[in-house]
Amino acid sequence: MQADLLVTGFLFHKGRVLEGGIAVVDGKIWKVGKESTLPKADQTLKTRKLVLPGLIDMHVHLRDMELSHKEDYFTGTCAAVAGGFTTVVDMPNTVPYTDTAGKLKEKMEVAKGKIVCNVGFYCGFPRDLNEVDEINRHALGFKVYTYRSEEEWDPQSIASLVEASRGVVCFHCETPAKKPEPSFFDVDAISALHTENSELEAIKHVLSSVKKSVHICHVSTPASVMVCSGRATCEATPHHLLLSKEDARRIGVIAHVLPPLRNEPERLLRLLSEGRIDVIASDHAPHALEEKEQLAPGFPGLETTLPLMLTLVNDGFLSLRRLVSCLSSNPARILGLENKGEVEEGKDADLTIVDLKAEHVIDASRFYSKAKFSPFDGRKCVGKPYATIIGGEVRMENGELFVKKGCGSVVTP
Ligand code: DOR
Ligand code: ZN
Ligand code: ZN
């Protein structure tokens, strides 16, 4: 039998790197092995590069609908594919807010016609807990913002949601009691409002409210990581791993993000290399530049995350094994995506091929994201995505996208 696609290179397979190939049939990995043992294929992609399981970003804001001026499903997923991601999971803080089964399904319907990679969705804290069963059928999980409403802080209602959810429940952890936001970018005022302690207290509060493991988003300090240990999975962003409060002062409002950048990010990075952080996620949060100037928090991350993390591999701060765990296998496991996260026969043919030695400079003006700015703009990196293969289709090669609006798939549980 002839395969649809044959990919060769240095495969990341069962925790090791081996030279060989992957034969793909019907969007699935059919055979993995030495090139000489593999069948012929209609299409071949012969590289001498590293072939990783498709990367999964479990924390992105694709926006669209009434926030389409910031990003839409097409531009956001183009940014994902360009950045080497095969699957992303979209957050519910959209306009309209995603907090009913109806609005969730509407969003998925709109996305279907525009996405170019695999996209799963989280639902926000449901307006009606009776809808959780229905939401469970469509969403990969829920996202709770502990500071957002009384319900989202209430231990009983948190417990009920976690109990009823069949997917992962993710938390943005901050205590609710707060003064108004400052009206201009003042690093000290913002840190005083969004303190390390407020994050830690909120995590402890969530963990003491639930009986099952949950997922804590964008931890920004070592204390937050340590309190999750054995009780919850946790995620860190490239910016909290690589940028400090001092960097925020130097870069200015472009670097404004919540949680804010902290002192000594290298301590968080050490915990990542020690295997104490489960997931690396971009928290891709695009805004219009005018909105940034008005203190909108966040910035795009889909096109910078992989180069930044590969640079850490080259610099010896992160092993390739940990990179693959945090960007593919662990997110797949946490999201319950059994057919993703490994290069193995029978799994989906989602692959990210990287050029580990490519030296380049991040240029935000060339992003596919509508948000063409980044606190990492101008940063030198070593390593970048070379090709993105989704369901056996080459969607990006050597920086060029091969996508049609709507060629992506909505991922359901
Ligand atoms: O910086 C952030 N941006 N933090 C959040 O919690 C929300 C996000 C956004 O949606 O823009
Ligand atoms: Zn958040
Ligand atoms: Zn977010």
Side-chain angles (χ1 to χ4, degrees):
M1 187 171 126
Q2 178 119 341
D4 299 328
L5 173 70
L6 179 67
V7 177
T8 69
F10 296 91
L11 319 178
F12 191 90
H13 179 58
K14 299 186 200 288
R16 291 161 193 274
V17 176
L18 63 94
E19 191 172 357
I22 299 167
V24 175
V25 173
D26 288 339
K28 302 267 181 199
I29 297 175
W30 182 37
K31 284 201 162 78
V32 181
K34 295 249 177 293
E35 206 185 327
S36 57
T37 69
L38 295 173
K40 297 233 173 321
D42 298 343
Q43 189 189 354
T44 54
L45 185 63
K46 296 202 178 189
T47 74
R48 295 195 53 78
K49 303 189 196 310
L50 255 181
V51 184
L52 309 179
L55 303 189
I56 301 172
D57 190 340
M58 66 181 286
H59 187 156
V60 306
H61 301 264
L62 296 177
R63 315 286 196 207
D64 208 290
M65 298 175 295
E66 287 169 47
L67 298 176
S68 292
H69 64 285
K70 294 177 192 267
E71 193 81 290
D72 61 42
Y73 292 127
F74 180 67
T75 55
T77 54
C78 281
V81 171
F85 289 94
T86 54
T87 301
V88 299
V89 192
D90 181 53
M91 286 293 169
N93 61 338
T94 45
V95 180
Y97 202 81
T98 318
D99 56 0
T100 67
K103 284 197 279 181
L104 175 71
K105 286 191 273 185
E106 236 169 80
K107 234 172 108 159
M108 295 168 96
E109 215 38 57
V110 178
K112 238 185 225 166
K114 301 189 186 182
I115 55 179
V116 302
C117 65
N118 303 314
V119 181
F121 293 86
Y122 298 111
C123 188
F125 199 101
R127 225 187 284 169
D128 178 358
L129 279 169
N130 292 314
E131 279 196 351
V132 171
D133 283 343
E134 168 74 353
I135 295 165
N136 277 333
R137 282 198 280 280
H138 305 277
L140 295 182
F142 292 87
K143 170 72 178 281
V144 178
Y145 294 84
T146 56
Y147 59 87
R148 189 175 164 264
S149 64
E150 269 172 47
E151 251 201 315
E152 284 171 86
W153 181 258
D154 177 55
Q156 233 93 69
S157 71
I158 291 174
S160 311
L161 175 64
V162 170
E163 210 41 57
S165 171
R166 278 198 273 122
V168 60
V169 185
C170 305
F171 289 83
H172 175 127
C173 287
E174 279 195 77
T175 52
K178 269 189 276 163
K179 299 183 222 85
E181 296 287 328
S183 53
F184 64 100
F185 186 58
D186 176 337
V187 170
D188 295 311
I190 291 165
S191 304
L193 218 49
H194 301 272
T195 63
E196 300 189 359
N197 205 45
S198 144
E199 177 178 315
L200 183 63
E201 286 310 311
I203 298 174
K204 287 183 182 163
H205 173 79
V206 168
L207 296 182
S208 68
S209 307
V210 301
K211 295 201 197 88
K212 289 196 283 197
S213 176
V214 294
H215 181 74
I216 308 298
C217 294
H218 47 49
V219 291
S220 70
T221 70
S224 293
V225 174
M226 296 319 286
V227 78
C228 290
S229 182
R231 307 164 72 193
T233 52
C234 72
E235 148 200 311
T237 66
H239 45 279
H240 291 113
L241 292 164
L242 294 168
L243 298 176
S244 68
K245 209 162 142 179
E246 277 315 304
D247 291 315
R249 272 189 242 280
R250 172 177 58 82
I251 298 164
V253 74
I254 291 296
H256 177 49
V257 63
L258 294 176
L261 302 175
R262 309 292 193 190
N263 291 321
E264 300 179 84
E266 50 291 344
R267 294 176 306 153
L268 199 62
L269 186 55
R270 191 169 321 124
L271 293 178
L272 174 71
S273 58
E274 289 170 3
R276 294 183 175 276
I277 293 171
D278 305 281
V279 170
I280 298 165
S282 71
D283 198 359
H284 180 78
H287 296 285
L289 200 53
E290 308 81 70
E291 296 169 325
K292 258 331 266 179
E293 276 148 25
Q294 302 301 310
L295 240 53
F299 34 76
L302 279 165
E303 292 164 90
T304 51
T305 294
L306 182 54
L308 292 166
M309 295 302 109
L310 290 172
T311 304
L312 288 177
V313 171
N314 278 299
D315 290 345
F317 289 108
L318 187 63
S319 68
L320 192 60
R321 208 184 268 241
R322 290 240 40 89
L323 179 144
V324 172
S325 302
C326 291
L327 283 171
S328 186
S329 357
N330 288 348
R333 195 192 67 239
I334 293 165
L335 294 162
L337 303 176
E338 289 172 11
N339 293 319
K340 302 196 186 294
E342 317 277 348
V343 177
E344 254 174 55
E345 293 172 4
K347 304 268 180 194
D348 295 344
D350 292 349
L351 303 167
T352 301
I353 306 182
V354 305
D355 186 341
L356 191 56
K357 295 296 164 197
E359 294 185 19
H360 61 111
V361 173
I362 290 175
D363 180 356
S365 72
R366 299 178 56 174
F367 285 172
Y368 284 91
S369 171
K370 287 187 187 178
K372 303 200 191 298
F373 52 83
S374 166
F376 294 109
D377 200 19
R379 195 168 172 119
K380 278 192 199 146
C381 289
V382 184
K384 66 173 172 186
Y386 172 75
T388 309
I389 298 172
I390 303 176
E393 292 179 11
V394 180
R395 300 269 167 87
M396 185 276 281
E397 188 181 350
N398 210 1
E400 197 183 336
L401 296 198
F402 303 95
V403 298
K404 265 214 307 263
K405 250 188 181 174
C407 68
S409 310
V410 169
V411 182
T412 52

